[in-house]
């Protein structure tokens, strides 16, 4: 059974997200741990979490994905900004201790003018400090489109971070289809080669989740504008190939397409249909 869901608003809490997910045919979901532009997280509601966990168990929701605010910059030049990234991530992971099978995804950051090497060192360093706390959640580095000075523009940069981390047993990668396509990986006509490259650089065992987004822009554009499934330059055929691929089909898939709930429901049904037919 395909494991698929979409990004949901966390404003009403975990139980509400669980119900929303089930309502649109999802069996997992993604949410922002707090306002995506940063800021304080809501007080932890343990009653809501307990109710959610019971509901999730009953309805087969598993391995939800928490997404860090995208403004975190673990490799900023300014120490205060780096410290803020650390504090936020630490707080997020402390809260995720209440959700046994959650994973945590973040954007590695932008090195601005320091160079990728310095950026990579800062990110690995932060992960080491985070991991001193022994949090259980698997932390995922997201593949990025390579806008500006984003780190994670290719598999090598992610591997450079992972290599530097003292204990990488709980570090993985979330592949965003729009980002890798915009980053120059031709998943539309060369999916096999891209996966081989991933395997040789990072190892497919690192791949723990995928963001399914079509792209408004062209291969290698380094832009990062998501399109609805089948309405961008990646196209439905590629998504069909991904969700049925023997090396990918067991992964949890998360839609981050420009949709309301009804739109997500349609895309989930469409991809489930693809998975059944093939
Ligand atoms: Fe993201
Ligand atoms: Fe993404
Ligand atoms: Zn994106």
């Amino acid at each position: 059974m395909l494991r698929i869901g979409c990004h949901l608003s966390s404003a009403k809490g975990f139980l509400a997200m669980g119900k929303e997910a089930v309502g649109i045919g999802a069996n997992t979901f993604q949410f922002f741990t707090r306002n995506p532009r940063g800021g304080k997280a809501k007080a932890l509601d343990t009653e809501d979490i307990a109710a959610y966990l019971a509901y999730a168990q009953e309805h087969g929701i598993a391995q939800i994905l928490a997404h860090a605010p995208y403004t975190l910059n673990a490799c900023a030049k300014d120490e205060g900004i780096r410290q803020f990234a650390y504090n936020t991530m630490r707080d997020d992971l402390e809260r995720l201790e209440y959700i046994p099978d959650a994973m945590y995804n973040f954007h590695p950051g932008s090195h601005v003018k320091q160079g990728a090497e310095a950026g990579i060192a800062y990110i690995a360093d932060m992960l080491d400090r985070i991991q001193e706390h022994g949090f259980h959640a698997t932390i995922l580095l997201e593949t990025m489109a390579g806008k500006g000075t984003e780190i994670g523009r290719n598999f090598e940069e992610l591997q450079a971070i992972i290599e530097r981390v003292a204990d990488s047993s709980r570090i993985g990668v979330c592949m965003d289809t729009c980002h890798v396509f915009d980053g120059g990986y031709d998943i539309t006509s060369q999916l096999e080669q891209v996966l081989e490259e991933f395997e040789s650089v990072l190892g497919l065992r690192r791949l723990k989740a995928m963001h399914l987004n079509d792209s408004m822009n062209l291969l290698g554009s380094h832009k990062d504008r998501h399109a609805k499934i089948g309405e961008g330059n990646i196209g439905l055929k590629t998504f069909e190939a991904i969700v049925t691929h023997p090396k990918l089909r067991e992964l949890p898939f998360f839609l981050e397409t420009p949709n309301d709930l009804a739109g997500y429901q349609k895309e989930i049904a469409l991809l489930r249909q693809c998975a059944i037919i093939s």
Side-chain angles (χ1 to χ4, degrees):
M1 169 100 141
L2 195 59
R3 293 199 283 157
I4 188 165
C6 64
H7 188 88
L8 295 175
S9 162
S10 55
K12 290 188 221 130
F14 283 99
L15 181 60
M17 287 192 282
K19 289 183 173 171
E20 229 163 50
V22 168
I24 58 173
N27 48 7
T28 187
F29 60 88
Q30 176 180 270
F31 63 100
F32 279 126
T33 53
R34 61 190 72 217
N35 184 306
R37 270 164 263 108
K40 239 175 100 77
K42 282 193 311 185
L44 200 63
D45 182 346
T46 49
E47 251 170 62
D48 172 53
I49 290 177
Y52 160 73
L53 289 174
Y55 184 87
Q57 171 105 35
E58 194 182 327
H59 291 85
I61 301 175
Q63 268 208 314
I64 59 173
L65 184 57
H67 195 308
Y70 47 70
T71 46
L72 289 199
N73 192 0
C75 60
K77 192 165 188 175
D78 182 277
E79 201 196 325
I81 296 173
R82 294 200 305 275
Q83 186 62 34
F84 177 78
Y86 165 83
N87 290 342
T88 303
M89 188 175 283
R90 180 179 165 180
D91 184 51
D92 281 351
L93 287 162
E94 265 164 15
R95 300 157 68 91
L96 282 182
E97 288 294 293
Y98 291 86
I99 304 184
D101 65 347
M103 298 191 288
Y104 183 72
N105 175 64
F106 78 109
H107 295 182
S110 292
H111 66 73
V112 192
K113 281 175 186 148
Q114 306 172 92
E117 192 138 329
I120 285 162
Y122 277 137
I123 297 161
D125 201 57
M126 182 196 64
L127 288 172
D128 280 343
R129 288 168 64 215
I130 285 286
Q131 295 209 114
E132 282 170 17
H133 301 279
F135 300 122
H136 82 280
T138 298
I139 301 174
L140 308 185
L141 295 151
E142 184 167 352
T143 58
M144 302 310 293
K147 285 195 303 302
T149 62
E150 273 175 351
I151 303 267
R153 62 203 299 119
N154 54 44
F155 302 155
E156 284 79 2
E157 287 190 355
L158 295 181
Q159 177 57 18
I161 296 167
I162 293 171
E163 257 167 27
R164 283 185 80 120
V165 172
D167 174 8
S168 64
S169 60
R170 283 197 176 79
I171 306 284
V173 171
C174 174
M175 190 196 287
D176 185 309
T177 54
C178 170
H179 298 177
V180 292
F181 182 76
D182 287 16
Y185 291 98
D186 189 1
I187 52 173
T188 56
S189 64
Q190 316 220 355
L191 181 62
E192 287 310 319
Q193 288 90 323
V194 173
L195 293 180
E196 272 165 34
E197 207 172 323
F198 192 101
E199 167 65 12
S200 77
V201 176
L202 279 151
L204 275 166
R205 72 196 170 89
R206 292 283 180 199
L207 186 58
K208 303 293 187 193
M210 287 187 81
H211 284 166
L212 299 183
N213 303 307
D214 213 324
S215 175
M216 286 189 191
N217 293 291
L218 297 173
L219 177 69
S221 61
H222 302 293
K223 285 266 170 60
D224 188 8
R225 295 280 308 280
H226 302 182
K228 292 181 185 177
I229 299 300
E231 295 185 14
N233 292 303
I234 296 176
L236 182 58
K237 263 200 145 11
T238 298
F239 292 102
E240 192 177 331
I242 288 170
V243 299
T244 58
H245 196 287
K247 289 177 178 160
L248 306 175
R249 66 187 176 204
E250 306 285 327
L251 293 168
F253 297 108
F254 303 90
L255 297 158
E256 301 175 310
T257 46
N259 271 308
D260 54 14
L261 281 179
Y264 279 133
Q265 183 166 22
K266 271 190 211 152
E267 289 187 348
I268 290 167
L270 178 66
L271 292 167
R272 284 202 188 285
Q273 199 58 32
C274 292
I276 292 166
I277 292 167
S278 65

